[in-house]
Amino acid sequence: MEMTKGRFAPSPTGRMHLGNMYCALLSWLSAKSKGGEWLLRIEDIDPGRSRQEYALLLMDDLDWLGMAWDGDPLFQSNRSEIYEHYFRVLQERGLTYRCYCTRADLLATQAPHESDGRVAYKGTCRNLPLQPGRKGATRLMVPERDIKCIDGHYGEYVVNLSRQVGDFIIRRKDGAWAYQLAVVVDDALMGVTEVVRGRDLLLSTPQQMYLGGLLDFPIPQFIHFPLLCNTEGKRLSKRDKSLDMGSLRQHLTARQVIGRLAFLAGLIPAPDPVGAKELLPLFSWEKVPKEDVVVCD
């Protein structure tokens, strides 16, 4: 039987908060409860927002919480040549094109499809000739095809790539690598078999399955979980300073933080202090709620 390899892949654009640690704990428990490995990938491909100090802090937070990762951390900022190779593969197969649309252009022509403001791109630039000297993003063309996804927590759902997603960006206008390309390449080359992440990324799954198929990569199992939200019903972000790890570490012990996370995940009946390793025999995806969870300060 193939060994389970899970991963935690945070972006070092601010101090980690309770929601990030919720993802870390669930992905760690899911992999380790199967006797597998848990890998750490620092997704620092956005040069304008990523900071080395945040990467160091998040590793310290994981260590403080008792969630050790296997092997050395992987930094996406060191892997541009690898992404370039697979980008060229797609480009040489005639599967990409330059897009000059702005976000304002997209929003002016249609309403957002998803609650996060996502729109399904309609291929406006697909047949435009290349315009030398003009910067543009690079999109991957998608077919009119239904992709069936079997999520490890939410079950089966079907997404039509053309109607619900549209041609998606694999390289940004500024030359930075887009999330979808980098994550597919890295998961495959790291040998990741299980991807655990928030349900806000459910629509990314069919995109990544399609792109992975084009590159002949094995497709990992995807498991999504409900989001932690503030009292206004908005998912936790790095702006919720009272719930970031800097604030939490001033007022709580590591066992108290883990206990609070385990309670929110439905693993224990009350938010009592507990260690991460103590949760391994208690972990089951059947216990994890499917609706978003409100967190009070």
Side-chain angles (χ1 to χ4, degrees):
M1 179 180 292
E2 182 181 37
M3 175 185 285
T4 297
K5 284 191 178 182
R7 50 82 158 168
F8 179 49
S11 298
T13 57
R15 190 68 189 264
M16 295 293 99
H17 55 71
L18 200 67
N20 300 125
M21 294 301 106
Y22 188 63
C23 179
L25 180 62
L26 286 174
S27 60
W28 186 86
L29 287 171
S30 187
K32 291 297 182 179
S33 66
K34 302 181 183 80
E37 294 182 347
W38 188 65
L39 311 177
L40 177 62
R41 182 170 74 229
I42 308 299
E43 298 198 335
D44 57 347
I45 52 174
D46 187 335
R49 299 176 62 223
S50 299
R51 298 287 183 272
Q52 176 69 14
E53 58 265 32
Y54 289 130
L56 295 174
L57 281 170
L58 74 87
M59 287 189 278
D60 185 67
D61 288 335
L62 293 173
D63 184 61
W64 181 73
L65 289 168
M67 288 185 284
W69 58 90
D70 295 288
D72 295 326
L74 183 147
F75 287 80
Q76 287 188 330
S77 57
N78 297 330
R79 297 172 63 79
S80 185
E81 290 184 4
I82 296 172
Y83 306 140
E84 182 76 39
H85 168 75
Y86 289 101
F87 176 78
R88 295 297 179 194
V89 169
L90 297 168
Q91 197 173 48
E92 289 167 6
R93 289 171 60 185
L95 299 173
T96 69
Y97 63 91
R98 191 70 60 86
C99 174
Y100 305 102
C101 295
T102 66
R103 182 167 178 79
D105 293 332
L106 300 178
L107 294 176
T109 59
Q110 59 191 302
H113 178 73
E114 296 292 313
S115 60
D116 62 0
R118 187 196 306 267
V119 297
Y121 186 67
K122 299 302 183 184
T124 305
C125 296
R126 186 185 275 206
N127 297 314
L128 286 182
L130 188 65
Q131 300 178 26
R134 186 180 179 188
K135 289 186 176 181
T138 301
R139 290 185 183 271
L140 179 74
M141 290 185 284
V142 301
E144 178 75 27
R145 180 187 300 174
D146 287 341
I147 300 287
K148 182 169 73 172
C149 310
I150 309 295
D151 187 75
H153 190 48
Y154 287 100
E156 180 180 321
Y157 64 103
V158 177
V159 173
N160 183 278
L161 283 175
S162 180
R163 293 198 300 270
Q164 293 175 257
V165 176
D167 300 336
F168 57 88
I169 293 174
I170 57 173
R171 194 170 199 172
R172 297 185 344 190
K173 183 183 296 187
D174 62 4
W177 299 107
Y179 166 77
Q180 302 294 6
L181 177 67
V183 72
V184 168
V185 170
D186 285 341
D187 282 344
L189 299 188
M190 293 171 73
V192 170
T193 64
E194 177 180 281
V195 173
V196 174
R197 59 192 183 188
R199 67 162 188 82
D200 55 320
L201 291 171
L202 277 165
L203 199 57
S204 283
T205 299
Q207 297 175 66
Q208 292 166 14
M209 291 174 63
Y210 177 67
L211 178 52
L214 290 177
L215 296 172
D216 294 323
F217 288 154
I219 307 299
Q221 179 184 29
F222 292 93
I223 308 174
H224 293 80
F225 56 82
L227 305 179
L228 298 188
C229 299
N230 60 26
T231 52
E232 297 176 351
K234 298 179 180 178
R235 67 181 182 184
L236 296 187
S237 73
K238 289 162 185 172
R239 293 185 294 273
D240 293 296
K241 296 298 184 183
S242 64
L243 293 173
D244 77 17
M245 287 302 296
S247 176
L248 293 171
R249 288 179 66 163
Q250 290 179 10
H251 303 100
L252 300 173
T253 66
R255 290 176 62 84
Q256 286 175 318
V257 174
I258 293 291
R260 187 174 184 184
L261 291 170
F263 171 69
L264 295 171
L267 304 180
I268 55 177
D272 297 327
V274 67
K277 290 182 179 178
E278 296 169 51
L279 294 171
L280 287 170
L282 303 177
F283 179 75
S284 168
W285 279 108
E286 293 181 358
K287 297 178 181 179
V288 178
K290 293 185 177 178
E291 300 297 324
D292 291 347
V293 181
V294 176
V295 180
C296 300
D297 293 355

